[in-house]
Amino acid sequence: MDTHPLLHLYSSAAQKAQPSTIRDLCALVARPEIRSLAGGWPDPEVFPGAELSAIFETLMRERRREMFQYGSTEGVLELRQLIAEQLMDTTNLFSPDNLLITQGSAQGMSLACQVFLDPGDIVLVGLPTYFGGSGAVAARGGECLGVPLDGQGLDTLALDKKVVALKSRGRKVKGVYTIPTFQNPAGVSLSLERRQHLLELAAEHDLVIFEDDPYRDLRYEGEDLPSLLALDHESRVIHLRSLSKIFSPGMRLGWAAGHPGAIRKMAVAKQFADVTSTTPSQYMLLEFIKQGLLRERIETNRDFYRQKRNFMLEQLEKNFPQEVSWNRPRGGFFIFVHLPETWDAADLLREAVDRKVAFVTGQPFFVDGGGQNTLRLSFSQAGREEIEAAVKALGALTRDRLAAGF
Ligand SMILES: Cc1ncc(COP(=O)(O)O)c(C=O)c1O
């Protein structure tokens, strides 16, 4: 409980803000005896150690003056140029003015919300959706309302109906927050048809789209889908990317891409937040890309995480009863599990912890408070032994519950 004597002076958004369940879980997961499939962190096994040591040494010799200095708020120009040339799936509008280097895509979303949202504005999100995104909306005093997801991602017909229904009650929707590729937590991707439909709806209802795309480089099968940004002809998309899953989350790097007007406003907001993204991280990444190492690393990561995904899917197949269902993600870090309708995953988690296993319940990802019978499993950080033991224990637990008549 917060006992600060100035609690009454907190902003109303801060008074409402709650730590996420995942943060609370971190303490639990840190216990060495717990086998955790909870966190969606990358595996340190694929952090680029040796290459970065060599790069750091060279930078210390050759670019020390710039590397430890303040940099421009927009980010190192050469880095923005390389990102625009090599890491975007569109040449539509690309110049460095369309890009802002951010401290992770989390900061990109926070800045985008500062530029586009006023208190009370409505943003539609998937049911379920990553609570970092909905949390950034709430931190601006905005309101997130849910739209169902299915195997093709966000249900755009339902989204249309929701916007129309809200309009008929005198409420205007401002935007949509979506993770179109290998969504966190559901693992699904928005189909091409729905991407096009979403953009049509954005034009019809005058919406901004916050496209959070941190997993797009981690595809294990199938063809790449164009980003919403690449399909956008009306500058409605703010495209947010992250280096956390393919380079290093500790470097805190990502970028926002979109119309130079909005990007400039985001840079102004960033100036008052942290002045500039960490300069040593930016120079290290710049060198990493220049030497062709990021491309290689993305390939390595894809193979590495594909094997982990396959292994977890095999283990689920082997251990879980047929009353429990899950999806087969084609990329990203997450498998989303549906328990029998009447179960509460929070009860299962308590029992799982007794058996020294942790996962994340699905409910915190549902802005409408639903999803009690769902949970998210992550295969990104756990080793094979941990995945095998944890899935086995969860399988046994679900079977025991079924046998006990739950
Ligand atoms: C959908 C989504 N967006 C944003 C983030 C945060 O990424 P970053 O480290 O780039 O801030 C995550 C991290 O798990 C995520 O899953």
Side-chain angles (χ1 to χ4, degrees):
M1 226 211 18
D2 190 344
T3 55
H4 195 295
L6 298 190
L7 193 63
H8 61 290
L9 297 185
Y10 288 5
S11 69
S12 46
Q15 289 190 20
K16 276 190 229 141
Q18 292 299 328
S20 78
T21 316
I22 288 195
R23 271 183 64 129
D24 295 342
L25 261 178
C26 284
L28 173 70
V29 168
R31 281 165 40 194
E33 74 277 15
I34 297 284
R35 294 188 167 98
S36 172
L37 306 177
W41 292 9
D43 192 329
E45 202 58 34
V46 279
F47 290 161
E51 300 98 320
L52 286 183
S53 296
I55 286 175
F56 191 71
E57 268 181 39
T58 312
L59 287 171
M60 285 295 278
R61 271 198 316 274
E62 296 172 7
R63 299 192 86 164
R64 191 170 355 169
R65 295 176 78 88
E66 307 103 288
M67 187 168 74
F68 291 114
Q69 187 53 283
Y70 285 116
S72 82
T73 303
E74 290 76 7
V76 170
L77 179 63
E78 213 181 336
L79 178 60
R80 282 184 288 142
Q81 271 159 343
L82 275 190
I83 288 175
E85 283 162 27
Q86 296 189 17
L87 292 167
M88 297 300 304
D89 71 337
T90 172
T91 49
N92 259 357
L93 32 93
F94 272 89
S95 89
D97 291 344
N98 297 101
L99 284 181
L100 172 70
I101 305 291
T102 58
Q103 309 241 43
S105 82
Q107 186 184 46
M109 182 58 188
S110 171
L111 297 174
C113 288
Q114 285 186 54
V115 171
F116 283 97
L117 300 184
D118 286 311
D121 279 348
I122 296 176
V123 174
L124 298 183
V125 303
L127 290 171
T129 207
Y130 170 63
F131 36 71
S134 44
V137 172
R140 282 292 298 167
E143 184 183 359
C144 284
L145 296 177
V147 173
L149 288 184
D150 59 22
Q152 307 288 302
L154 204 61
D155 179 343
T156 47
L157 285 174
L159 185 140
D160 187 23
K161 280 193 192 135
K162 185 114 193 167
V163 177
V164 172
L166 284 161
K167 207 185 262 177
S168 73
R169 283 188 265 136
R171 303 207 62 194
K172 159 105 182 89
V173 175
K174 189 75 154 294
V176 178
Y177 168 73
T178 178
I179 307 147
T181 324
F182 317 130
Q183 203 248 24
N184 179 6
V188 291
S189 293
L190 192 64
S191 67
L192 179 58
E193 295 70 29
R194 293 222 184 140
R195 285 173 195 240
Q196 279 154 342
H197 191 209
L198 180 58
L199 287 162
E200 282 161 28
L201 294 175
E204 186 182 332
H205 299 299
D206 191 22
L207 308 173
V208 55
I209 298 179
F210 305 109
E211 178 182 38
D212 193 4
D213 219 5
Y215 301 100
R216 75 172 288 114
D217 296 301
L218 290 175
R219 173 175 285 283
Y220 314 134
E221 57 187 64
E223 294 292 310
D224 279 343
L225 287 163
S227 65
L228 290 164
L229 181 75
L231 297 169
D232 176 24
H233 300 295
E234 293 197 345
S235 302
R236 291 190 175 275
V237 176
I238 300 295
H239 176 82
L240 305 167
R241 290 282 283 282
S242 171
L243 271 308
S244 294
K245 322 294 174 182
I246 50 171
F247 181 58
S248 146
M251 289 279 188
R252 301 310 301 135
L253 286 172
W255 71 93
H259 188 279
I263 293 296
R264 218 172 297 127
K265 288 282 185 198
M266 287 172 69
V268 172
K270 183 172 165 64
Q271 217 158 27
F272 300 121
D274 60 2
V275 183
T276 176
S277 295
T278 312
T279 329
S281 294
Q282 292 188 65
Y283 279 105
M284 304 256 277
L285 174 64
L286 172 62
E287 247 340 279
F288 201 72
I289 298 177
K290 265 168 104 175
Q291 294 181 18
L293 295 170
L294 188 64
R295 277 272 147 249
E296 276 174 25
R297 179 64 43 180
I298 289 173
E299 288 308 318
T300 312
N301 284 356
R302 278 187 186 155
D303 292 343
F304 180 80
Y305 290 117
R306 181 188 296 112
Q307 283 178 28
K308 283 193 162 193
R309 176 204 63 168
N310 292 348
F311 185 67
M312 188 182 264
L313 286 170
E314 277 164 30
Q315 295 305 309
L316 288 170
E317 207 59 61
K318 204 159 118 187
N319 291 287
F320 271 29
Q322 63 179 25
E323 288 81 356
V324 174
S325 62
W326 58 92
N327 63 323
R328 182 189 163 81
R330 309 185 100 198
F333 282 175
F334 308 111
I335 295 176
F336 203 57
V337 176
H338 281 82
L339 301 168
E341 283 282 317
T342 54
W343 288 22
D344 187 337
D347 295 335
L348 194 76
L349 179 58
R350 273 187 287 277
E351 292 164 30
V353 170
D354 290 340
R355 299 189 190 199
K356 304 195 172 23
V357 176
F359 56 81
V360 182
T361 57
Q363 198 261 326
F365 296 95
F366 287 77
V367 295
D368 66 351
Q372 273 87 352
N373 68 323
T374 62
L375 58 98
R376 187 192 77 177
L377 299 179
S378 170
F379 50 83
S380 59
Q381 201 181 2
R384 276 173 89 89
E385 183 276 330
E386 206 172 1
I387 292 177
E388 187 171 10
V391 174
K392 198 169 172 185
L394 282 178
L397 178 55
T398 48
R399 285 177 194 282
D400 289 352
R401 288 186 121 234
L402 287 167
F406 278 100

